[in-house]
Amino acid sequence: MSLCYVGMGSNLHRPTEQLLDALNAMQETARLVDCSSFYTSKPMGPQDQPDYVNAVAALDTQLEPLALLHTLQGIENQQGRIRERRWGERTLDLDILLFDDQVIELPELIIPHYGMAEREFVLYPLFEIAPQLVMPDGRPLSHLISHCPANGLLTLLDSHKVKQKLAQL
């Protein structure tokens, strides 16, 4: 089994439900170890779109990284993901942030996820569920988060309530 962390985001078609549905779907091929609270954040890209709901899930999986990527893309597609513009609105975005301590650089997959060290909507939820985490390059997650302002990130649904809602699905 491999431990991986998946960043989740949605800002269309009931974003909270999109993330809950994605968590439920991921449990069909992996064991959900933990999930952060759901947070609201301003869009990273074009500002003419709704705010996002973001979270991070920790999964134990037997899948290899590329197989996990394809599984996550399948979940995105099942939930109506359409890629119209870079960093634009979306029903669901699932990104592999970390996969054990592996460093992977392939045309379709880069781990650790590029740019995650500057993204509050990734670091804060990740820190919530893995505060002692050390990045593959040796930097503690606590160091990264100390250099990343929250930029208005707000807790929408605490992790306890997320787990309650997930159990009801």
Side-chain angles (χ1 to χ4, degrees):
M1 294 290 259
S2 295
L3 178 63
C4 64
Y5 294 93
V6 176
M8 308 169 60
S10 174
N11 71 343
L12 293 177
H13 308 296
R14 301 181 345 263
T16 299
E17 287 80 10
Q18 292 287 347
L19 296 191
L20 289 168
D21 289 347
L23 285 166
N24 196 40
M26 285 188 279
Q27 290 185 98
E28 294 178 17
T29 57
R31 185 177 72 84
L32 181 64
V33 175
D34 205 352
C35 181
S36 73
S37 300
F38 287 5
Y39 294 83
T40 60
S41 65
K42 296 292 180 200
M44 188 173 81
Q47 297 298 298
D48 64 339
Q49 60 181 311
D51 288 351
Y52 276 81
V53 176
N54 296 99
V56 171
L59 304 173
D60 270 334
T61 183
Q62 293 182 352
L63 297 175
E64 294 297 319
L66 279 176
L68 178 61
L69 173 68
H70 296 144
T71 298
L72 296 176
Q73 289 172 337
I75 293 169
E76 289 176 342
N77 292 337
Q78 287 171 350
Q79 291 186 218
R81 168 79 187 256
I82 298 171
R83 291 167 169 80
E84 290 186 5
R85 59 181 176 163
R86 182 172 174 85
W87 295 328
E89 51 280 300
R90 57 201 66 185
T91 53
L92 184 62
D93 187 29
L94 301 174
D95 293 320
I96 302 172
L97 304 172
L98 298 164
F99 197 98
D100 285 333
D101 60 355
Q102 293 186 40
V103 174
I104 300 171
E105 293 188 26
L106 298 170
E108 64 180 312
L109 180 62
I110 297 173
I111 299 176
H113 189 276
Y114 66 91
M116 70 179 272
E118 296 85 35
R119 297 177 180 169
E120 74 280 354
F121 56 87
V122 171
L123 292 181
Y124 283 78
L126 180 58
F127 187 77
E128 178 186 334
I129 62 173
Q132 303 302 319
L133 185 72
V134 176
M135 303 299 287
D137 65 5
R139 293 181 296 170
L141 180 58
S142 59
H143 173 78
L144 296 179
I145 206 164
S146 71
H147 291 86
C148 184
N151 292 330
L153 192 71
L154 296 172
T155 303
L156 176 66
L157 194 63
D158 73 45
S159 63
H160 179 70
K161 289 181 182 167
V162 169
K163 291 169 189 160
Q164 283 179 334
K165 288 184 175 288
L166 192 56
Q168 295 170 358
L169 293 179

Short mmCIF file of all heavy atoms in Angstrom, two decimals, residues 100-166:
data_model
loop_
_atom_site.label_atom_id
_atom_site.label_comp_id
_atom_site.label_asym_id
_atom_site.label_seq_id
_atom_site.Cartn_x
_atom_site.Cartn_y
_atom_site.Cartn_z
N ASP A 100 3.65 8.66 -1.43
CA ASP A 100 4.75 8.22 -0.56
C ASP A 100 5.80 9.33 -0.57
O ASP A 100 5.46 10.50 -0.50
CB ASP A 100 5.31 6.87 -0.97
CG ASP A 100 4.38 5.71 -0.59
OD1 ASP A 100 3.61 5.84 0.38
OD2 ASP A 100 4.41 4.67 -1.29
N ASP A 101 7.06 8.97 -0.72
CA ASP A 101 8.10 10.00 -0.79
C ASP A 101 8.68 10.07 -2.21
O ASP A 101 9.80 10.52 -2.41
CB ASP A 101 9.20 9.75 0.24
CG ASP A 101 9.88 8.40 0.05
OD1 ASP A 101 9.45 7.62 -0.82
OD2 ASP A 101 10.85 8.13 0.77
N GLN A 102 7.89 9.64 -3.18
CA GLN A 102 8.36 9.58 -4.56
C GLN A 102 8.42 10.97 -5.20
O GLN A 102 7.63 11.85 -4.90
CB GLN A 102 7.44 8.70 -5.41
CG GLN A 102 7.47 7.24 -5.02
CD GLN A 102 6.65 6.39 -5.97
OE1 GLN A 102 6.68 6.61 -7.19
NE2 GLN A 102 5.92 5.43 -5.44
N VAL A 103 9.40 11.10 -6.09
CA VAL A 103 9.50 12.26 -6.97
C VAL A 103 9.31 11.71 -8.38
O VAL A 103 10.06 10.83 -8.81
CB VAL A 103 10.86 12.97 -6.83
CG1 VAL A 103 11.00 14.09 -7.86
CG2 VAL A 103 11.04 13.50 -5.41
N ILE A 104 8.29 12.19 -9.07
CA ILE A 104 7.94 11.68 -10.39
C ILE A 104 7.85 12.85 -11.36
O ILE A 104 7.19 13.85 -11.07
CB ILE A 104 6.59 10.93 -10.35
CG1 ILE A 104 6.68 9.75 -9.38
CG2 ILE A 104 6.17 10.48 -11.75
CD1 ILE A 104 5.35 9.09 -9.09
N GLU A 105 8.53 12.72 -12.49
CA GLU A 105 8.45 13.75 -13.53
C GLU A 105 8.18 13.07 -14.86
O GLU A 105 9.09 12.62 -15.53
CB GLU A 105 9.75 14.56 -13.57
CG GLU A 105 9.94 15.40 -12.33
CD GLU A 105 11.12 16.36 -12.42
OE1 GLU A 105 11.48 16.74 -13.55
OE2 GLU A 105 11.65 16.70 -11.36
N LEU A 106 6.90 13.01 -15.20
CA LEU A 106 6.44 12.43 -16.44
C LEU A 106 5.64 13.50 -17.18
O LEU A 106 5.15 14.44 -16.56
CB LEU A 106 5.55 11.21 -16.17
CG LEU A 106 6.21 10.04 -15.44
CD1 LEU A 106 5.16 9.01 -15.03
CD2 LEU A 106 7.27 9.40 -16.31
N PRO A 107 5.46 13.35 -18.49
CA PRO A 107 4.69 14.36 -19.21
C PRO A 107 3.30 14.61 -18.63
O PRO A 107 2.83 15.73 -18.61
CB PRO A 107 4.60 13.79 -20.63
CG PRO A 107 5.80 12.91 -20.76
CD PRO A 107 6.03 12.32 -19.39
N GLU A 108 2.64 13.56 -18.13
CA GLU A 108 1.28 13.75 -17.63
C GLU A 108 1.17 13.78 -16.10
O GLU A 108 0.07 14.00 -15.57
CB GLU A 108 0.34 12.68 -18.20
CG GLU A 108 0.64 11.26 -17.79
CD GLU A 108 -0.35 10.28 -18.39
OE1 GLU A 108 -1.57 10.49 -18.33
OE2 GLU A 108 0.13 9.27 -18.94
N LEU A 109 2.29 13.60 -15.39
CA LEU A 109 2.22 13.56 -13.94
C LEU A 109 3.52 14.05 -13.31
O LEU A 109 4.59 13.52 -13.61
CB LEU A 109 1.93 12.13 -13.46
CG LEU A 109 1.82 11.91 -11.96
CD1 LEU A 109 0.66 12.72 -11.36
CD2 LEU A 109 1.63 10.43 -11.66
N ILE A 110 3.38 15.06 -12.45
CA ILE A 110 4.53 15.57 -11.71
C ILE A 110 4.18 15.49 -10.22
O ILE A 110 3.16 16.02 -9.78
CB ILE A 110 4.87 17.03 -12.10
CG1 ILE A 110 5.28 17.08 -13.57
CG2 ILE A 110 5.97 17.59 -11.19
CD1 ILE A 110 5.47 18.48 -14.11
N ILE A 111 5.02 14.78 -9.47
CA ILE A 111 4.86 14.63 -8.02
C ILE A 111 6.21 14.92 -7.38
O ILE A 111 7.20 14.35 -7.81
CB ILE A 111 4.37 13.21 -7.65
CG1 ILE A 111 3.00 12.93 -8.28
CG2 ILE A 111 4.33 13.05 -6.13
CD1 ILE A 111 2.49 11.54 -8.04
N PRO A 112 6.25 15.77 -6.34
CA PRO A 112 5.14 16.52 -5.75
C PRO A 112 4.50 17.44 -6.77
O PRO A 112 5.14 17.91 -7.71
CB PRO A 112 5.80 17.33 -4.64
CG PRO A 112 7.11 16.71 -4.37
CD PRO A 112 7.51 16.04 -5.64
N HIS A 113 3.22 17.69 -6.56
CA HIS A 113 2.46 18.53 -7.48
C HIS A 113 3.12 19.90 -7.60
O HIS A 113 3.44 20.52 -6.59
CB HIS A 113 1.02 18.67 -6.99
CG HIS A 113 0.12 19.32 -7.97
ND1 HIS A 113 0.02 20.69 -8.10
CD2 HIS A 113 -0.72 18.80 -8.89
CE1 HIS A 113 -0.85 20.97 -9.05
NE2 HIS A 113 -1.31 19.84 -9.54
N TYR A 114 3.32 20.34 -8.82
CA TYR A 114 3.98 21.63 -9.05
C TYR A 114 3.17 22.75 -8.41
O TYR A 114 1.94 22.73 -8.42
CB TYR A 114 4.15 21.89 -10.55
CG TYR A 114 2.85 22.06 -11.28
CD1 TYR A 114 2.28 23.32 -11.44
CD2 TYR A 114 2.17 20.98 -11.81
CE1 TYR A 114 1.08 23.49 -12.09
CE2 TYR A 114 0.95 21.14 -12.45
CZ TYR A 114 0.42 22.39 -12.59
OH TYR A 114 -0.79 22.56 -13.23
N GLY A 115 3.82 23.69 -7.85
CA GLY A 115 3.16 24.86 -7.30
C GLY A 115 2.48 24.67 -5.97
O GLY A 115 1.98 25.64 -5.40
N MET A 116 2.44 23.45 -5.44
CA MET A 116 1.70 23.25 -4.20
C MET A 116 2.29 24.03 -3.03
O MET A 116 1.57 24.44 -2.13
CB MET A 116 1.57 21.77 -3.84
CG MET A 116 2.85 21.08 -3.41
SD MET A 116 2.58 19.35 -2.97
CE MET A 116 2.17 19.51 -1.25
N ALA A 117 3.58 24.31 -3.08
CA ALA A 117 4.25 25.02 -1.98
C ALA A 117 3.82 26.47 -1.86
O ALA A 117 4.05 27.10 -0.84
CB ALA A 117 5.77 24.94 -2.15
N GLU A 118 3.16 27.00 -2.89
CA GLU A 118 2.69 28.40 -2.85
C GLU A 118 1.18 28.51 -2.74
O GLU A 118 0.64 29.61 -2.77
CB GLU A 118 3.13 29.14 -4.14
CG GLU A 118 4.63 29.27 -4.30
CD GLU A 118 5.25 28.05 -4.96
OE1 GLU A 118 4.61 27.44 -5.85
OE2 GLU A 118 6.37 27.69 -4.57
N ARG A 119 0.48 27.41 -2.63
CA ARG A 119 -0.98 27.43 -2.68
C ARG A 119 -1.58 27.17 -1.30
O ARG A 119 -1.56 26.05 -0.81
CB ARG A 119 -1.49 26.41 -3.69
CG ARG A 119 -1.01 26.77 -5.10
CD ARG A 119 -1.42 25.77 -6.12
NE ARG A 119 -0.92 26.19 -7.42
CZ ARG A 119 -0.93 25.42 -8.49
NH1 ARG A 119 -1.41 24.19 -8.42
NH2 ARG A 119 -0.46 25.87 -9.63
N GLU A 120 -2.13 28.21 -0.72
CA GLU A 120 -2.72 28.10 0.61
C GLU A 120 -3.86 27.09 0.65
O GLU A 120 -4.03 26.37 1.63
CB GLU A 120 -3.21 29.47 1.11
CG GLU A 120 -4.46 30.01 0.48
CD GLU A 120 -4.28 30.66 -0.89
OE1 GLU A 120 -3.12 30.82 -1.36
OE2 GLU A 120 -5.28 31.02 -1.50
N PHE A 121 -4.62 26.97 -0.44
CA PHE A 121 -5.75 26.05 -0.47
C PHE A 121 -5.31 24.59 -0.56
O PHE A 121 -6.14 23.69 -0.43
CB PHE A 121 -6.71 26.41 -1.62
CG PHE A 121 -6.06 26.43 -2.98
CD1 PHE A 121 -5.95 25.30 -3.74
CD2 PHE A 121 -5.59 27.64 -3.49
CE1 PHE A 121 -5.36 25.34 -5.00
CE2 PHE A 121 -5.00 27.69 -4.75
CZ PHE A 121 -4.88 26.54 -5.50
N VAL A 122 -4.00 24.36 -0.73
CA VAL A 122 -3.42 23.02 -0.65
C VAL A 122 -2.71 22.85 0.70
O VAL A 122 -2.94 21.87 1.40
CB VAL A 122 -2.42 22.78 -1.81
CG1 VAL A 122 -1.65 21.48 -1.60
CG2 VAL A 122 -3.13 22.77 -3.14
N LEU A 123 -1.85 23.80 1.05
CA LEU A 123 -1.01 23.64 2.24
C LEU A 123 -1.80 23.60 3.54
O LEU A 123 -1.50 22.75 4.41
CB LEU A 123 0.03 24.75 2.30
CG LEU A 123 1.11 24.72 1.21
CD1 LEU A 123 2.09 25.87 1.41
CD2 LEU A 123 1.85 23.38 1.20
N TYR A 124 -2.76 24.47 3.71
CA TYR A 124 -3.48 24.51 4.99
C TYR A 124 -4.31 23.23 5.21
O TYR A 124 -4.25 22.65 6.31
CB TYR A 124 -4.33 25.78 5.10
CG TYR A 124 -3.48 26.99 5.43
CD1 TYR A 124 -2.72 27.64 4.47
CD2 TYR A 124 -3.44 27.49 6.73
CE1 TYR A 124 -1.94 28.74 4.78
CE2 TYR A 124 -2.66 28.60 7.06
CZ TYR A 124 -1.91 29.22 6.07
OH TYR A 124 -1.13 30.30 6.39
N PRO A 125 -5.07 22.76 4.23
CA PRO A 125 -5.77 21.48 4.44
C PRO A 125 -4.80 20.30 4.63
O PRO A 125 -5.05 19.42 5.45
CB PRO A 125 -6.61 21.31 3.18
CG PRO A 125 -6.71 22.65 2.56
CD PRO A 125 -5.49 23.40 2.98
N LEU A 126 -3.70 20.30 3.89
CA LEU A 126 -2.71 19.23 4.04
C LEU A 126 -2.11 19.26 5.44
O LEU A 126 -1.97 18.22 6.10
CB LEU A 126 -1.62 19.37 2.97
CG LEU A 126 -0.50 18.33 2.99
CD1 LEU A 126 -1.05 16.92 2.83
CD2 LEU A 126 0.51 18.64 1.88
N PHE A 127 -1.79 20.44 5.93
CA PHE A 127 -1.21 20.58 7.27
C PHE A 127 -2.20 20.13 8.34
O PHE A 127 -1.81 19.55 9.36
CB PHE A 127 -0.79 22.04 7.50
CG PHE A 127 -0.04 22.25 8.78
CD1 PHE A 127 1.29 21.90 8.89
CD2 PHE A 127 -0.67 22.82 9.88
CE1 PHE A 127 1.99 22.09 10.07
CE2 PHE A 127 0.01 23.02 11.06
CZ PHE A 127 1.35 22.65 11.16
N GLU A 128 -3.47 20.35 8.09
CA GLU A 128 -4.49 19.93 9.06
C GLU A 128 -4.44 18.42 9.30
O GLU A 128 -4.60 17.96 10.43
CB GLU A 128 -5.87 20.33 8.54
CG GLU A 128 -7.01 19.90 9.44
CD GLU A 128 -8.38 20.18 8.85
OE1 GLU A 128 -8.51 21.11 8.02
OE2 GLU A 128 -9.32 19.47 9.23
N ILE A 129 -4.23 17.62 8.25
CA ILE A 129 -4.25 16.16 8.39
C ILE A 129 -2.87 15.53 8.49
O ILE A 129 -2.76 14.36 8.85
CB ILE A 129 -5.07 15.49 7.26
CG1 ILE A 129 -4.47 15.74 5.88
CG2 ILE A 129 -6.52 15.93 7.33
CD1 ILE A 129 -5.15 14.97 4.76
N ALA A 130 -1.81 16.30 8.19
CA ALA A 130 -0.46 15.74 8.23
C ALA A 130 0.55 16.78 8.70
O ALA A 130 1.48 17.14 7.96
CB ALA A 130 -0.08 15.21 6.84
N PRO A 131 0.41 17.30 9.92
CA PRO A 131 1.28 18.39 10.37
C PRO A 131 2.77 18.03 10.46
O PRO A 131 3.60 18.91 10.37
CB PRO A 131 0.71 18.76 11.74
CG PRO A 131 -0.04 17.56 12.19
CD PRO A 131 -0.56 16.91 10.94
N GLN A 132 3.08 16.77 10.62
CA GLN A 132 4.48 16.35 10.74
C GLN A 132 5.10 15.95 9.40
O GLN A 132 6.25 15.54 9.34
CB GLN A 132 4.60 15.16 11.71
CG GLN A 132 4.04 15.43 13.09
CD GLN A 132 4.69 16.62 13.78
OE1 GLN A 132 5.89 16.81 13.71
NE2 GLN A 132 3.87 17.44 14.43
N LEU A 133 4.36 16.13 8.32
CA LEU A 133 4.82 15.70 6.99
C LEU A 133 6.10 16.41 6.58
O LEU A 133 6.26 17.61 6.80
CB LEU A 133 3.71 15.99 5.97
CG LEU A 133 3.96 15.49 4.55
CD1 LEU A 133 3.85 13.97 4.50
CD2 LEU A 133 2.94 16.09 3.60
N VAL A 134 6.99 15.65 5.97
CA VAL A 134 8.23 16.18 5.39
C VAL A 134 8.16 15.91 3.89
O VAL A 134 7.87 14.80 3.45
CB VAL A 134 9.47 15.51 6.02
CG1 VAL A 134 10.74 16.00 5.34
CG2 VAL A 134 9.51 15.79 7.52
N MET A 135 8.41 16.95 3.12
CA MET A 135 8.37 16.83 1.66
C MET A 135 9.52 15.94 1.19
O MET A 135 10.53 15.79 1.88
CB MET A 135 8.48 18.22 1.03
CG MET A 135 7.40 19.19 1.49
SD MET A 135 5.74 18.66 1.10
CE MET A 135 5.73 18.93 -0.66
N PRO A 136 9.41 15.37 -0.01
CA PRO A 136 10.49 14.52 -0.53
C PRO A 136 11.85 15.22 -0.59
O PRO A 136 12.88 14.56 -0.52
CB PRO A 136 10.00 14.14 -1.94
CG PRO A 136 8.51 14.19 -1.83
CD PRO A 136 8.24 15.35 -0.90
N ASP A 137 11.86 16.56 -0.69
CA ASP A 137 13.14 17.27 -0.74
C ASP A 137 13.68 17.59 0.66
O ASP A 137 14.69 18.28 0.80
CB ASP A 137 13.02 18.56 -1.56
CG ASP A 137 12.08 19.60 -0.94
OD1 ASP A 137 11.57 19.38 0.18
OD2 ASP A 137 11.85 20.63 -1.60
N GLY A 138 13.00 17.11 1.70
CA GLY A 138 13.48 17.29 3.07
C GLY A 138 12.89 18.48 3.81
O GLY A 138 13.12 18.64 5.01
N ARG A 139 12.12 19.32 3.12
CA ARG A 139 11.52 20.48 3.79
C ARG A 139 10.28 20.04 4.58
O ARG A 139 9.40 19.38 4.02
CB ARG A 139 11.10 21.55 2.79
CG ARG A 139 12.25 22.22 2.08
CD ARG A 139 11.76 23.29 1.12
NE ARG A 139 10.96 22.66 0.05
CZ ARG A 139 10.23 23.31 -0.83
NH1 ARG A 139 10.18 24.64 -0.80
NH2 ARG A 139 9.55 22.67 -1.76
N PRO A 140 10.21 20.43 5.85
CA PRO A 140 8.99 20.12 6.61
C PRO A 140 7.81 20.93 6.08
O PRO A 140 7.97 22.09 5.67
CB PRO A 140 9.32 20.55 8.04
CG PRO A 140 10.79 20.79 8.07
CD PRO A 140 11.23 21.07 6.67
N LEU A 141 6.64 20.32 6.10
CA LEU A 141 5.43 21.03 5.68
C LEU A 141 5.24 22.28 6.53
O LEU A 141 4.80 23.31 6.03
CB LEU A 141 4.22 20.10 5.78
CG LEU A 141 2.87 20.67 5.39
CD1 LEU A 141 2.87 21.20 3.96
CD2 LEU A 141 1.79 19.62 5.57
N SER A 142 5.60 22.21 7.80
CA SER A 142 5.45 23.37 8.68
C SER A 142 6.27 24.56 8.18
O SER A 142 5.86 25.71 8.32
CB SER A 142 5.86 23.02 10.12
OG SER A 142 7.19 22.56 10.15
N HIS A 143 7.42 24.29 7.55
CA HIS A 143 8.23 25.37 6.97
C HIS A 143 7.50 26.01 5.79
O HIS A 143 7.46 27.24 5.65
CB HIS A 143 9.59 24.83 6.53
CG HIS A 143 10.42 25.81 5.78
ND1 HIS A 143 11.11 26.82 6.40
CD2 HIS A 143 10.65 25.96 4.45
CE1 HIS A 143 11.74 27.55 5.49
NE2 HIS A 143 11.47 27.04 4.29
N LEU A 144 6.92 25.18 4.93
CA LEU A 144 6.21 25.70 3.75
C LEU A 144 5.02 26.55 4.19
O LEU A 144 4.80 27.64 3.65
CB LEU A 144 5.72 24.56 2.86
CG LEU A 144 6.79 23.69 2.20
CD1 LEU A 144 6.13 22.60 1.37
CD2 LEU A 144 7.73 24.52 1.36
N ILE A 145 4.27 26.07 5.15
CA ILE A 145 3.07 26.80 5.57
C ILE A 145 3.43 28.10 6.27
O ILE A 145 2.70 29.09 6.17
CB ILE A 145 2.14 25.91 6.42
CG1 ILE A 145 0.71 26.41 6.30
CG2 ILE A 145 2.58 25.81 7.85
CD1 ILE A 145 -0.33 25.42 6.75
N SER A 146 4.59 28.15 6.92
CA SER A 146 5.00 29.39 7.59
C SER A 146 5.34 30.49 6.59
O SER A 146 5.40 31.66 6.96
CB SER A 146 6.18 29.13 8.53
OG SER A 146 7.36 28.87 7.79
N HIS A 147 5.55 30.12 5.33
CA HIS A 147 5.88 31.09 4.28
C HIS A 147 4.72 31.31 3.30
O HIS A 147 4.91 31.89 2.24
CB HIS A 147 7.12 30.64 3.52
CG HIS A 147 8.36 30.69 4.34
ND1 HIS A 147 8.75 29.67 5.17
CD2 HIS A 147 9.28 31.67 4.49
CE1 HIS A 147 9.87 30.01 5.78
NE2 HIS A 147 10.21 31.22 5.41
N CYS A 148 3.53 30.83 3.68
CA CYS A 148 2.38 30.92 2.77
C CYS A 148 1.22 31.57 3.51
O CYS A 148 0.59 30.95 4.36
CB CYS A 148 1.99 29.52 2.29
SG CYS A 148 0.65 29.51 1.08
N PRO A 149 0.91 32.83 3.18
CA PRO A 149 -0.22 33.49 3.83
C PRO A 149 -1.54 32.80 3.50
O PRO A 149 -1.70 32.20 2.43
CB PRO A 149 -0.19 34.91 3.28
CG PRO A 149 0.71 34.88 2.10
CD PRO A 149 1.57 33.67 2.19
N ALA A 150 -2.50 32.89 4.42
CA ALA A 150 -3.79 32.23 4.24
C ALA A 150 -4.64 32.88 3.15
O ALA A 150 -5.55 32.23 2.61
CB ALA A 150 -4.56 32.22 5.56
N ASN A 151 -4.39 34.14 2.80
CA ASN A 151 -5.10 34.82 1.71
C ASN A 151 -6.62 34.67 1.78
O ASN A 151 -7.28 34.44 0.77
CB ASN A 151 -4.61 34.31 0.35
CG ASN A 151 -3.19 34.72 0.07
OD1 ASN A 151 -2.74 35.76 0.53
ND2 ASN A 151 -2.47 33.90 -0.67
N GLY A 152 -7.18 34.79 2.97
CA GLY A 152 -8.63 34.74 3.10
C GLY A 152 -9.24 33.36 3.12
O GLY A 152 -10.47 33.22 3.07
N LEU A 153 -8.42 32.32 3.19
CA LEU A 153 -8.92 30.95 3.27
C LEU A 153 -9.78 30.80 4.52
O LEU A 153 -9.37 31.20 5.61
CB LEU A 153 -7.72 29.99 3.34
CG LEU A 153 -7.98 28.51 3.15
CD1 LEU A 153 -8.34 28.23 1.69
CD2 LEU A 153 -6.74 27.72 3.53
N LEU A 154 -10.98 30.25 4.37
CA LEU A 154 -11.90 30.10 5.50
C LEU A 154 -12.41 28.67 5.58
O LEU A 154 -12.65 28.03 4.55
CB LEU A 154 -13.11 31.02 5.33
CG LEU A 154 -12.84 32.52 5.34
CD1 LEU A 154 -14.11 33.28 4.98
CD2 LEU A 154 -12.34 32.96 6.72
N THR A 155 -12.59 28.18 6.80
CA THR A 155 -13.16 26.85 6.99
C THR A 155 -14.66 26.92 6.70
O THR A 155 -15.38 27.73 7.30
CB THR A 155 -12.92 26.33 8.42
OG1 THR A 155 -11.53 26.34 8.69
CG2 THR A 155 -13.46 24.92 8.59
N LEU A 156 -15.11 26.08 5.81
CA LEU A 156 -16.52 26.01 5.45
C LEU A 156 -17.22 24.90 6.24
O LEU A 156 -18.32 25.07 6.75
CB LEU A 156 -16.66 25.77 3.95
CG LEU A 156 -18.05 25.56 3.40
CD1 LEU A 156 -18.88 26.84 3.55
CD2 LEU A 156 -17.99 25.14 1.93
N LEU A 157 -16.56 23.75 6.32
CA LEU A 157 -17.13 22.57 6.96
C LEU A 157 -15.99 21.84 7.65
O LEU A 157 -15.04 21.42 6.98
CB LEU A 157 -17.77 21.69 5.88
CG LEU A 157 -18.70 20.57 6.27
CD1 LEU A 157 -19.94 21.11 6.97
CD2 LEU A 157 -19.10 19.78 5.03
N ASP A 158 -16.04 21.72 8.99
CA ASP A 158 -14.91 21.09 9.67
C ASP A 158 -14.85 19.59 9.35
O ASP A 158 -15.84 18.99 8.91
CB ASP A 158 -14.93 21.37 11.18
CG ASP A 158 -16.00 20.62 11.93
OD1 ASP A 158 -16.20 19.41 11.72
OD2 ASP A 158 -16.65 21.25 12.79
N SER A 159 -13.69 19.01 9.55
CA SER A 159 -13.44 17.63 9.13
C SER A 159 -14.40 16.64 9.79
O SER A 159 -14.79 15.65 9.18
CB SER A 159 -11.99 17.24 9.38
OG SER A 159 -11.70 17.28 10.75
N HIS A 160 -14.79 16.89 11.03
CA HIS A 160 -15.73 16.00 11.71
C HIS A 160 -17.06 15.97 10.96
O HIS A 160 -17.64 14.90 10.73
CB HIS A 160 -15.93 16.47 13.16
CG HIS A 160 -16.89 15.63 13.94
ND1 HIS A 160 -16.60 14.33 14.33
CD2 HIS A 160 -18.16 15.89 14.38
CE1 HIS A 160 -17.64 13.84 14.99
NE2 HIS A 160 -18.59 14.77 15.03
N LYS A 161 -17.55 17.13 10.54
CA LYS A 161 -18.81 17.20 9.80
C LYS A 161 -18.66 16.59 8.41
O LYS A 161 -19.59 15.97 7.89
CB LYS A 161 -19.31 18.64 9.73
CG LYS A 161 -19.82 19.14 11.06
CD LYS A 161 -20.34 20.54 10.98
CE LYS A 161 -20.79 20.99 12.37
NZ LYS A 161 -21.02 22.42 12.45
N VAL A 162 -17.48 16.76 7.79
CA VAL A 162 -17.23 16.13 6.49
C VAL A 162 -17.38 14.62 6.63
O VAL A 162 -18.05 13.97 5.82
CB VAL A 162 -15.82 16.50 5.96
CG1 VAL A 162 -15.46 15.64 4.75
CG2 VAL A 162 -15.74 17.98 5.60
N LYS A 163 -16.77 14.07 7.66
CA LYS A 163 -16.82 12.60 7.86
C LYS A 163 -18.23 12.14 8.18
O LYS A 163 -18.65 11.08 7.71
CB LYS A 163 -15.83 12.19 8.95
CG LYS A 163 -14.39 12.39 8.48
CD LYS A 163 -13.40 12.26 9.60
CE LYS A 163 -12.02 12.69 9.08
NZ LYS A 163 -11.11 13.05 10.12
N GLN A 164 -19.00 12.93 8.91
CA GLN A 164 -20.40 12.59 9.18
C GLN A 164 -21.20 12.55 7.88
O GLN A 164 -21.97 11.62 7.65
CB GLN A 164 -21.03 13.61 10.13
CG GLN A 164 -20.64 13.45 11.57
CD GLN A 164 -21.28 14.51 12.46
OE1 GLN A 164 -21.62 15.61 12.00
NE2 GLN A 164 -21.48 14.19 13.72
N LYS A 165 -21.03 13.56 7.06
CA LYS A 165 -21.77 13.62 5.79
C LYS A 165 -21.35 12.47 4.87
O LYS A 165 -22.18 11.89 4.18
CB LYS A 165 -21.56 14.96 5.10
CG LYS A 165 -22.28 16.11 5.79
CD LYS A 165 -22.14 17.41 5.02
CE LYS A 165 -22.94 18.51 5.63
NZ LYS A 165 -24.36 18.38 5.45
N LEU A 166 -20.07 12.15 4.87
CA LEU A 166 -19.58 11.06 4.03
C LEU A 166 -20.18 9.73 4.48
O LEU A 166 -20.55 8.89 3.64
CB LEU A 166 -18.05 11.02 4.09
CG LEU A 166 -17.34 10.15 3.08
CD1 LEU A 166 -17.72 10.53 1.65
CD2 LEU A 166 -15.85 10.25 3.27
#
